[in-house]
Amino acid sequence: MNNMAAAAWSRKIGQALLAPLIALLVAMVVTSLVIMLAGASVGDFLSVLLRAPSNRNWVNIANQSVLLFLSALAASIGFRMNLFNIGVEGQYTLASYVAALVAGLAIFPGKLNILVAIVIAMVVGGIWAGIAGVLKVTRGVSEVISTIMLNAIAITMVGYLLNTYGQQYGQGRRTKPLSADSMFVGWVPFDARDGAIWTLGLLAVLAGVGISFLINRTRFGFDLRATGMNEAAAVASGVKVKQMVVISMVLSGAIAGLIWLPALFNGAAYYGPPFQRGLGFAGIAVALLGRNRPIGIAFGAVLFAWLNEQANPLGLLVGISPSVVQITQGVVVLAVVVAYEVVRRWATAREQKALRATLDKAAAASTDNDAKAVAS
Amino acid sequence: MTQQVEDRHEVTDTPLGIEIRGVTKRFPGVVANHDVDITIRPATVHALIGENGAGKSTLMKILYGVQKADEGTIAINGQQVVFGSPIDAIKAGIGMVFQHFMLADNLTVLENVVLGAEKLFGIGDKARAEIVRLSDDYGFDLDPDALVEDLGVGARQRVEILKVLFRGAKFIILDEPTAVLVPQEVDALFENLRELRASGHTLLFISHKLDEVRAIADDITVMRRGTTVGEADPKTVTKKQLAELMVGSELPSPQTEESTVTDQVLLSLSDVTLVDARGRQLLSDIDLDIRKGEVLGIAGVEGNGQAELVETIMGMRKATGTIRLADQDLVSWDTRERREAGIGFIPEDRHHHGLLLDAPLWENRILGHQTLPPSSKNGLIDRAGAKADTDRIVAEYDVRTPSINTHARALSGGNQQKLIVGREMSGDPVLLIAAHPTRGVDVGAQAAIWDHIKRARREGLAVLLISADLDELIGLSDRIEVILRGRLVGEFDPQTATPQDLGAAMTGGKDSAGEGGAA
């Protein structure tokens, strides 16, 4: 029995890994074809992409993985109940700005300031996403449309506020920088010049474990997953779907609010030119790649961060545009959706087989009984 | 009985019709069909019967080109055919009418029929003329410009049949066509089928309902465990013989024993009225009481308010009027509170309302019981508790599954239903709302579900039973109410009521009450 369980477990892992691996392979082949068509050398491309990362690269990959992970985690909460929160981009932009602004005012001393800023970022992200949730349940507005519009509003609004009230700094503007005691120094795994791993990377770990627990082990999580799998059945089982829509949008936005905070409190110190755009959209891709499961998302985030970081010197070293990895990233997401479906069907077929075997055994037993009954 | 079944083999001289010889289909590790032999004579109604999982659907899929047989041959009018896809099958004149209608509600009959077959007669007057011609020829009485959403179940089914005729089908496979119909509609359908047969169409009729098979079929083939186990002559074979061929055991009947009705009213509805967004009355002034230990059956043509009544009691729809459970007023309670108060719910459509198909069985055990032990504790899901209780249900309700980690989708309909019944019976419910509890379930599972309902009734459970199977209603109920256009229009005593009486009341026909000599 133990053996069987172990076998089933390893099969499950195999299935989970199989699809992303196939997808990655397909994506590499497609990218190679594009590079060949463009007349460049695939060998060069691969040698740059697969070279051993330098110490500095490693630190960057780790830090970028954290941001991508949080972004994908935020998107995945909505996805688990078929709620397409495309608005992570706007949510974390607004949340990052407000958090940086408030933290810059240094109302609270030292590290407490950071804690308050984290809470504020979550609240702002949550409210911004919650607007889309409320619109959906009260007015029937598709969350896809409303979150995309809210992205535009948030980004424009932050730009306006920064330009109007921000501090002049070089060519641009910024929020008031944090005082040094409200910053982290991070963890320096190599030399100081290679950079530090951001302390608030811990947020990713906490959020990942927390969301995983919430979704898999709590009643709320069950209701959420049930709604995603079969809304009608969830309603019949007593789930209040409207309430769930708003709560999960708010939760998704709250996690989105965290995305850029590790960078803010470790290197940036203010909202302004160092702010990293586009993480919200990249997160959607990573969530799809990771099948909306925290573990899968973690792998996906590392893969994307690796591709981004390793592709940086492509232009410099072999004269290929680093943008080419965006083709890899795009294709990998497209391919993984197909691959997951293929693997799912294969798994279903296996399950059917097991079921048949069980039924056949039962049938054989009853035939034996029939035969005995006739004989006697 | 087996001898009597064997001696119908000589009719095979004629090469016309469909001949299936030695068809075998293996899926990895299993044999879904083996050595299937069927001869379908031209211009006949040929019935194919068998329990769920007997291999009927696989055979249908092979015949319709969805799957390829590994061995054996299929010949149509003496010509061997191999279908790569349903398109090939349609070209060869085979049409299929699925059990679940595949119609777009917001399109007209004409639009539904031409959809995907625009090349045949265009989408304009020529197509309309063809539809009118077919409808007139076979007595379908369909208006090409009617919206499908305004049509009843019987008419929708005729649209499905019209669709395959429009595509030129000469051989029509009907997958459990009567499952959704009331007796009067079944009669009308059979009239249509006879017209089709008279005009040279060949019909393969798949069914569970043995009476109907005997009424309409010219030949009967019985399948069991993936192979054809016998043929029978509908004129001479008895229902019991057919059932025994199908299952190798006796046909169960839903007879209740002595009454266990008490005088304690458990569920009481008064003046319940439900109006939809467009102002139509879906339920009008419903008054009903169910006592402890009583099974109240609701008979009615599908779409007359049964689903709305159930959803109102479950709190999924908000109606006016009062609903009381024992001495509590339920009106302001939501679905979850009602479930927590001990209402079990077997939904009409298990895939739609009852299961998470892509979740393992043990998670399906939790569905609807998220807040109740043993599946939940302090806001957390109690995995161990849920799994242990799923094991209990699998054992007690004979759910055939390799494990409780199997996904619900993998199970056959009967086993899915047994899981739902087991789930809804757990936690000592006081009231069970059972909508079509044995629909699409094989004979063995049906008997088991009936037994469970009867046992729970003896223990004081109140049951609201909604069923399209009048034998089931009459057999299980202590009292039957008939629903028509959202109103309760008559009460019957199942001891004296016949299916014909009920059928007349269900369709609003007053005339047949006298001639049937009913209670």
Side-chain angles (χ1 to χ4, degrees):
Chain A
M1 200 61 211
N2 240 342
N3 252 342
M4 256 176 76
W9 183 240
S10 66
R11 200 165 58 228
K12 215 171 154 184
I13 302 238
Q15 279 171 17
L17 286 179
L18 193 61
L21 282 177
I22 295 171
L24 189 59
L25 208 67
V26 170
M28 292 309 284
V29 169
V30 172
T31 317
S32 302
L33 285 175
V34 171
I35 289 168
M36 259 154 60
L37 280 176
S41 152
V42 176
D44 286 351
F45 168 69
L46 290 178
S47 69
V48 173
L49 216 58
L50 301 177
R51 76 188 192 283
S54 68
N55 291 348
R56 184 185 192 75
N57 291 146
W58 278 122
V59 171
N60 285 342
I61 289 172
N63 285 333
Q64 285 300 308
S65 300
V66 163
L67 305 191
L68 283 168
F69 175 83
L70 283 168
S71 171
L73 189 68
S76 75
I77 296 167
F79 289 171
R80 286 304 285 275
M81 62 176 283
N82 290 339
L83 207 54
F84 292 92
N85 178 8
I86 312 294
V88 172
E89 185 74 22
Q91 288 144 24
Y92 92 92
T93 304
L94 189 63
S96 304
Y97 171 73
V98 177
L101 187 75
V102 175
L105 297 177
I107 302 167
F108 300 94
K111 300 289 186 277
L112 185 62
N113 201 18
I114 298 175
L115 190 67
V116 171
I118 291 173
V119 173
I120 286 175
M122 292 182 79
V123 170
V124 170
I127 290 175
W128 202 247
I131 295 172
V134 171
L135 282 175
K136 185 181 173 76
V137 299
T138 56
R139 313 300 315 167
V141 182
S142 159
E143 75 282 6
V144 176
I145 308 292
S146 59
T147 50
I148 288 174
M149 290 181 171
L150 284 165
N151 279 345
I153 297 172
I155 291 164
T156 317
M157 193 163 74
V158 167
Y160 170 79
L161 292 173
L162 197 65
N163 270 327
T164 316
Y165 303 106
Q167 210 178 61
Q168 188 74 39
Y169 179 69
Q171 296 296 317
R173 289 182 180 256
R174 63 176 188 187
T175 57
K176 189 163 175 262
L178 301 169
S179 61
D181 65 344
S182 288
M183 295 278 289
F184 288 114
V185 288
W187 173 57
V188 179
F190 309 109
D191 290 336
R193 66 185 167 86
D194 294 325
I197 292 188
W198 299 331
T199 308
L200 284 186
L202 281 175
L203 276 182
V205 178
L206 289 177
V209 172
I211 293 294
S212 183
F213 181 82
L214 183 76
I215 295 213
N216 292 315
R217 300 293 173 137
T218 66
R219 208 150 78 191
F220 171 83
F222 185 89
D223 285 355
L224 186 139
R225 285 185 294 128
T227 311
M229 281 189 271
N230 183 348
E231 187 175 322
V235 170
S237 84
V239 175
K240 290 181 199 131
V241 169
K242 288 187 170 182
Q243 200 177 308
M244 291 295 297
V245 166
V246 176
I247 295 177
S248 38
M249 276 309 274
V250 169
L251 190 62
S252 179
I255 300 290
L258 297 174
I259 295 174
W260 192 64
L261 299 190
L264 174 65
F265 291 108
N266 240 117
Y270 52 85
Y271 182 97
F275 178 71
Q276 200 178 336
R277 289 181 196 290
L279 287 169
F281 296 121
I284 293 172
V286 172
L288 284 174
L289 186 61
R291 231 173 157 187
N292 300 324
R293 307 310 194 264
I295 299 270
I297 290 172
F299 281 109
V302 171
L303 174 67
F304 268 48
W306 171 290
L307 288 173
N308 286 339
E309 180 67 20
Q310 293 288 84
N312 261 337
L314 268 178
L316 213 62
L317 295 179
V318 293
I320 300 175
S321 164
S323 322
V324 80
V325 293
Q326 288 173 7
I327 297 177
T328 315
Q329 292 175 341
V331 175
V332 86
V333 170
L334 211 59
V336 86
V337 174
V338 178
Y340 277 137
E341 180 59 21
V342 170
V343 169
R344 192 189 66 80
R345 287 191 189 176
W346 174 70
T348 309
R350 288 191 69 111
E351 203 166 62
Q352 291 281 4
K353 193 172 113 186
L355 183 76
R356 282 282 171 184
T358 314
L359 291 182
D360 284 355
K361 229 188 276 168
S366 77
T367 315
D368 285 354
N369 287 341
D370 287 356
K372 272 176 211 151
V374 169
S376 61
Chain B
M1 173 208 32
T2 333
Q3 310 87 305
Q4 174 231 8
V5 156
E6 293 299 316
D7 55 30
R8 286 188 51 81
H9 253 303
E10 315 94 310
V11 221
T12 52
D13 318 323
T14 160
L16 291 173
I18 299 179
E19 290 193 348
I20 299 167
R21 287 285 168 270
V23 162
T24 298
K25 174 74 189 174
R26 292 184 202 88
F27 293 112
V30 297
V31 183
N33 276 168
H34 61 97
D35 306 315
V36 173
D37 285 319
I38 302 177
T39 304
I40 305 171
R41 296 182 292 141
T44 58
V45 176
H46 193 108
L48 181 64
I49 63 173
E51 283 203 292
N52 281 338
K56 291 173 302 186
S57 5
T58 307
L59 183 63
M60 265 188 309
K61 283 180 188 158
I62 293 171
L63 209 49
Y64 193 54
V66 180
Q67 268 160 355
K68 261 191 191 160
D70 296 327
E71 285 170 30
T73 59
I74 298 172
I76 295 180
N77 293 341
Q79 287 221 304
Q80 281 218 8
V81 290
V82 178
F83 298 143
S85 75
I87 297 170
D88 296 344
I90 292 167
K91 273 194 197 137
I94 293 183
M96 173 115 180
V97 176
F98 292 92
Q99 185 180 358
H100 299 286
F101 301 152
M102 301 192 172
L103 298 171
D105 282 357
N106 51 348
L107 298 184
T108 64
V109 170
L110 170 75
E111 288 163 341
N112 266 288
V113 171
V114 299
L115 193 66
E118 298 86 351
K119 282 184 189 158
L120 292 175
F121 299 95
I123 57 169
D125 288 340
K126 252 174 87 189
R128 173 173 288 111
E130 175 67 5
I131 291 172
V132 170
R133 185 187 70 78
L134 288 169
S135 172
D136 289 349
D137 280 3
Y138 303 112
F140 280 5
D141 189 28
L142 287 170
D143 171 7
D145 296 313
L147 271 182
V148 164
E149 66 183 349
D150 297 330
L151 298 180
V153 178
R156 284 177 194 224
Q157 189 168 54
R158 293 197 294 278
V159 177
E160 286 281 9
I161 300 175
L162 191 67
K163 260 165 71 178
V164 306
L165 292 172
F166 187 84
R167 286 156 176 75
K170 299 302 277 179
F171 301 94
I172 302 174
I173 308 169
L174 297 135
D175 183 14
E176 303 205 20
T178 61
V180 291
L181 304 178
V182 294
Q184 280 80 354
E185 288 175 317
V186 170
D187 291 343
L189 171 70
F190 284 1
E191 219 33 66
N192 297 144
L193 297 186
R194 288 189 190 104
E195 294 270 357
L196 285 169
R197 177 176 61 188
S199 68
H201 289 89
T202 306
L203 306 166
L204 182 60
F205 181 91
I206 291 154
S207 184
H208 277 127
K209 296 187 181 171
L210 307 177
D211 284 329
E212 290 172 358
V213 165
R214 291 193 310 154
I216 184 76
D218 301 301
D219 303 287
I220 299 175
T221 300
V222 184
M223 284 191 81
R224 193 162 108 207
R225 284 178 204 148
T227 190
T228 40
V229 291
E231 296 171 15
D233 183 346
K235 289 183 202 68
T236 54
V237 74
T238 67
K239 195 170 157 182
K240 193 155 173 281
Q241 287 169 326
L242 279 181
E244 284 173 3
L245 258 182
M246 270 166 65
V247 296
S249 65
E250 280 190 19
L251 183 70
S253 93
Q255 296 304 314
T256 45
E257 314 83 3
E258 75 286 5
S259 170
T260 57
V261 182
T262 63
D263 53 4
Q264 281 174 273
V265 174
L266 191 84
L267 180 76
S268 169
L269 273 67
S270 61
D271 290 332
V272 170
T273 297
L274 179 71
V275 181
D276 75 358
R278 281 187 275 173
R280 286 184 305 189
Q281 289 217 336
L282 300 174
L283 296 175
S284 312
D285 305 323
I286 301 278
D287 292 306
L288 63 81
D289 285 339
I290 307 178
R291 293 170 183 80
K292 286 185 81 171
E294 181 181 44
V295 177
L296 174 67
I298 302 279
V301 178
E302 213 146 316
N304 271 281
Q306 297 94 320
E308 289 78 9
L309 178 63
V310 166
E311 288 173 11
T312 301
I313 297 173
M314 287 310 298
M316 293 153 69
R317 289 175 184 258
K318 294 276 170 273
T320 56
T322 57
I323 305 174
R324 301 180 74 80
L325 184 72
D327 45 11
Q328 298 151 306
D329 186 359
L330 286 191
V331 170
S332 62
W333 293 18
D334 62 37
T335 305
R336 178 153 290 165
E337 288 166 326
R338 294 182 196 206
R339 278 182 167 278
E340 285 168 353
I343 305 183
F345 177 37
I346 302 174
E348 167 180 355
D349 181 338
R350 56 180 164 263
H351 287 180
H352 193 55
H353 281 126
L355 291 170
L356 304 174
L357 289 172
D358 292 314
L361 298 189
W362 68 267
E363 285 197 334
N364 275 286
R365 163 66 185 83
I366 300 170
L367 188 71
H369 302 249
Q370 286 100 314
T371 54
L372 303 167
S375 39
S376 146
K377 219 179 348 186
N378 310 327
L380 298 183
I381 294 299
D382 182 350
R383 291 184 169 208
K387 285 181 178 176
D389 202 59
T390 311
D391 276 326
R392 174 190 67 80
I393 291 172
V394 165
E396 274 181 28
Y397 288 78
D398 188 28
V399 181
R400 309 270 172 83
T401 173
S403 112
I404 58 165
N405 294 314
T406 302
H407 289 131
R409 187 185 294 282
L411 265 54
S412 72
N415 286 306
Q416 289 173 345
Q417 191 71 2
K418 284 188 277 188
L419 178 78
I420 292 178
V421 174
R423 173 180 81 195
E424 297 306 328
M425 290 287 198
S426 52
D428 295 321
V430 292
L431 171 68
L432 179 70
I433 312 280
H436 309 281
T438 62
R439 169 177 285 179
V441 159
D442 61 59
V443 176
Q446 188 177 38
I449 291 171
W450 283 337
D451 281 343
H452 286 296
I453 292 180
K454 281 189 268 185
R455 199 201 56 220
R457 164 182 167 274
R458 277 199 298 275
E459 289 162 8
L461 182 75
V463 180
L464 180 72
L465 174 70
I466 287 159
S467 179
D469 180 344
L470 296 182
D471 288 334
E472 174 174 82
L473 271 180
I474 291 173
L476 280 181
S477 304
D478 295 297
R479 203 152 52 84
I480 296 177
E481 293 266 14
V482 174
I483 193 166
L484 175 66
R485 291 185 212 105
R487 286 174 190 281
L488 296 181
V489 294
E491 192 179 315
F492 288 82
D493 179 354
Q495 302 288 334
T496 52
T498 65
Q500 283 68 31
D501 299 336
L502 289 174
M506 283 156 63
T507 48
K510 305 274 182 246
D511 48 290
S512 55
E515 70 177 10

